[in-house]
Amino acid sequence: MKSRVQKKEMRWEKLDNTANLFPVIANETMTNVYRIAVILSEDIRPECLQEALEQVLPWFNTMNVRMRTGMFWYYFETNTKGKPVVREEQDFPCRYVGRHENRNYLFRVTYYKNRINLEVFHALADGMGAVNFLRELTYQYLRICYPQLSGEMGDRLCDDTSLDTEDSYLKNYKKAGKKTYKSVPAVHMKGERLVRGELGTIHGYMSVKQLKEKAKELGMSINEYLSGIFVYSIYKGYLHENTSKKPIVLCVPVNLRPFFESMTTRNFFAMASAAFLPEKEKYERKEVMKLVQKELKKQITQENLEKMIAYNVSNQKNYALRVVPLFLKKPAIKFVYLTSAKATTTTITNMGRMVVDKAYEPYIKRFQIILSPSVGQNTKATVCSYGDELTFTFSSLLKDTSVQKVFFRSLVEDGIEVEIETNGVYYD
């Protein structure tokens, strides 16, 4: 790996279309930081993890930057402050990544027992870009710990690891008509909060095979099945099966790479949504799930995704907006974001199947993903799978766990075995 390290050259680039939002709205309470973690079969050796990070980072231009403030927009510049330091985890997940902390890097690598945590400020990359980096970091760490892997695999990047940094939003932009739909206020889950700074996490581990069989029985994909149960759990666990004038709106980030043949390591996703308005009492669970499935199918189409890209990029390309100084843009961007945030109840991110080279499989037990809360979204969820195990994770600022309980009990009612793990904040 040492032969791969290159001399660091100064370079700069614009933030991608989605990334422009995050520096404007991020703060200590709305961090816009997510975590992707890999759990290994043995406890982490911190000195080996530090060495692995220092060797892998120079290859990833997406991660090897700091953020600067320009006259009209923020931009990235090659970070020359030295390598970030690996530390043992001593705080709750998804804390704010300050621009002037961590040697100006916009991500952090920590460890706890046998878990490596990669926490990323969303302006850098979406989940797929972060997985790309974490996988290579883990491979190099394992090669350092187990030299026989270097002989088997070679000291090189994985063949399917991308180093592409294109702005795929701009590349796939096609001029389209104006936005035709209006946002309406949605149900927001509120209640007594955890102590400031705490973030409660609940991981549910289950069989992919069992989920696939049950979803197929209902004529659904696994993503539709889990999304439907999540919406029903909010209806039953939070609204207590009462009617509501506001809909429950579930946002589902869609990875755009397969739709547009992109390999970018930067942000490239769109937000689909499913709205369920409880106009009567006592909806059956399957009824809610079918309504959610119908909404998602209607949203996640090539044509609709192209419209989403067109609408978002058109704002960035607007000449009048481009020439407005950043200090004037920021209040406007924040206002638009806060207004749109009122129209969402929660988010579920499905990262799909995590795949690693066979030589490393015996050393890797599972993956986890955690989202930070945001305005109006005190509870969120994520999905990922590895082998036959699917991990469903709730992250929440609320003390009440009724929604989570309804969700996992619904799975058990469907004959799916679930193992539960939490980070302990609910034990008090």
Side-chain angles (χ1 to χ4, degrees):
M1 178 67 73
K2 291 181 180 178
S3 62
R4 285 185 8 203
V5 176
Q6 302 168 347
K7 183 179 178 181
K8 188 178 291 187
E9 297 179 359
M10 289 298 297
R11 53 188 296 276
W12 71 275
E13 62 186 6
K14 298 177 182 178
L15 276 65
D16 62 64
N17 179 260
T18 298
N20 281 312
L21 169 69
F22 298 118
V24 176
I25 64 173
N27 54 43
E28 292 283 351
T29 56
M30 189 172 65
T31 66
N32 288 282
V33 172
Y34 60 88
R35 170 185 289 189
I36 300 179
V38 58
I39 292 82
L40 305 183
S41 56
E42 295 183 1
D43 283 357
I44 303 303
R45 305 179 201 174
E47 67 284 353
C48 295
L49 184 56
Q50 181 68 49
E51 183 181 348
L53 178 58
E54 292 180 9
Q55 293 179 358
V56 167
L57 181 58
W59 281 82
F60 287 86
N61 291 330
T62 300
M63 310 295 287
N64 198 16
V65 295
R66 60 178 176 172
M67 190 161 58
R68 310 287 276 179
T69 304
M71 177 66 74
F72 302 105
W73 295 105
Y74 292 99
Y75 66 94
F76 290 135
E77 178 184 86
T78 302
N79 194 335
T80 58
K81 293 283 188 178
K83 300 298 187 295
V85 179
V86 170
R87 304 185 189 277
E88 184 174 13
E89 181 183 16
Q90 296 181 336
D91 215 324
F92 289 90
C94 304
R95 291 182 300 107
Y96 182 63
V97 177
R99 288 174 57 188
H100 304 296
E101 301 171 10
N102 193 36
R103 295 183 175 172
N104 295 149
Y105 287 95
L106 299 174
F107 71 93
R108 66 171 69 94
V109 176
T110 61
Y111 65 93
Y112 178 73
K113 294 184 178 180
N114 61 335
R115 185 178 71 230
I116 299 173
N117 308 310
L118 173 64
E119 297 193 334
V120 181
F121 181 43
H122 218 319
L124 275 185
D126 60 21
M128 295 306 298
V131 166
N132 195 52
F133 180 70
L134 177 62
R135 184 173 54 191
E136 285 299 337
L137 174 63
T138 304
Y139 288 172
Q140 181 60 11
Y141 166 78
L142 290 171
R143 287 196 291 264
I144 293 170
C145 292
Y146 308 99
Q148 66 270 24
L149 286 173
S150 291
E152 294 175 21
M153 302 302 298
D155 222 11
R156 57 179 175 78
L157 292 176
C158 179
D159 290 338
D160 57 356
T161 293
S162 174
L163 298 177
D164 190 338
T165 61
E166 76 170 14
D167 186 336
S168 290
Y169 291 108
L170 288 176
K171 181 180 178 182
N172 293 283
Y173 167 72
K174 296 178 182 177
K175 193 171 182 178
K178 294 183 178 180
K179 181 179 176 182
T180 56
Y181 62 90
K182 293 183 178 180
S183 299
V184 297
V187 169
H188 286 174
M189 290 183 279
K190 301 175 182 178
E192 186 178 359
R193 291 186 167 224
L194 296 168
V195 175
R196 184 180 176 88
E198 291 185 348
L199 180 65
T201 60
I202 301 178
H203 306 287
Y205 305 111
M206 60 206 80
S207 165
V208 173
K209 182 180 178 183
Q210 288 183 350
L211 281 168
K212 191 175 291 185
E213 289 174 351
K214 188 61 186 180
K216 185 178 180 180
E217 180 185 315
L218 296 172
M220 298 179 173
S221 68
I222 289 179
N223 193 50
E224 291 167 346
Y225 173 75
L226 294 173
S227 297
I229 293 182
F230 189 15
V231 171
Y232 173 78
S233 300
I234 297 170
Y235 166 65
K236 184 173 182 179
Y238 181 73
L239 291 180
H240 306 293
E241 299 180 296
N242 292 316
T243 58
S244 172
K245 293 181 180 179
K246 297 179 179 178
I248 298 170
V249 180
L250 177 72
C251 267
V252 182
V254 179
N255 176 20
L256 296 175
R257 293 168 181 81
F259 293 91
F260 298 94
E261 297 183 352
S262 170
M263 291 290 288
T264 186
T265 54
R266 300 171 74 184
N267 287 293
F268 194 43
F269 67 96
M271 298 296 281
S273 62
F276 163 60
L277 181 62
E279 298 177 297
K280 64 178 184 179
E281 293 184 4
K282 302 295 182 184
Y283 282 84
E284 295 296 323
R285 175 156 63 89
K286 288 183 181 178
E287 184 180 5
V288 175
M289 293 169 70
K290 287 292 183 182
L291 289 170
V292 171
Q293 179 190 33
K294 183 179 179 181
E295 287 277 302
L296 290 178
K297 282 187 177 296
K298 184 170 62 177
Q299 286 267 313
I300 306 175
T301 66
Q302 183 85 22
E303 181 182 4
N304 196 52
L305 295 174
E306 287 178 356
K307 288 180 180 178
M308 290 183 190
I309 292 176
Y311 172 71
N312 292 331
V313 175
S314 64
N315 292 326
Q316 181 182 350
K317 293 176 77 69
N318 184 295
Y319 179 76
L321 182 62
R322 284 164 57 191
V323 298
V324 173
L326 182 59
F327 77 92
L328 292 176
K329 280 194 187 95
K330 288 170 69 174
I333 293 173
K334 190 173 290 187
F335 174 78
V336 172
Y337 169 76
L338 293 175
T339 302
S340 63
K342 295 177 181 178
T344 302
T345 304
T346 187
T347 296
I348 180 171
T349 294
N350 190 339
M351 291 295 297
R353 189 165 65 101
M354 301 294 186
V355 180
V356 302
D357 282 353
K358 286 192 176 297
Y360 302 102
E361 287 179 357
Y363 304 90
I364 298 174
K365 292 179 63 177
R366 60 171 53 126
F367 288 84
Q368 298 171 343
I369 302 171
I370 301 174
L371 295 182
S372 58
S374 56
V375 173
Q377 299 187 55
N378 291 319
T379 301
K380 293 184 180 182
T382 64
V383 182
C384 67
S385 66
Y386 176 63
D388 185 53
E389 181 181 80
L390 182 139
T391 302
F392 191 102
T393 299
F394 285 102
S395 53
S396 182
L397 295 175
L398 304 178
K399 284 189 174 181
D400 186 78
T401 58
S402 298
V403 171
Q404 293 92 320
K405 288 174 181 176
V406 173
F407 181 86
F408 289 122
R409 286 171 181 167
S410 297
L411 291 171
V412 173
E413 288 172 6
D414 281 353
I416 295 165
E417 299 172 9
V418 183
E419 175 190 345
I420 301 294
E421 177 186 53
T422 81
N423 66 342
V425 299
Y426 302 112
Y427 295 160
D428 297 336

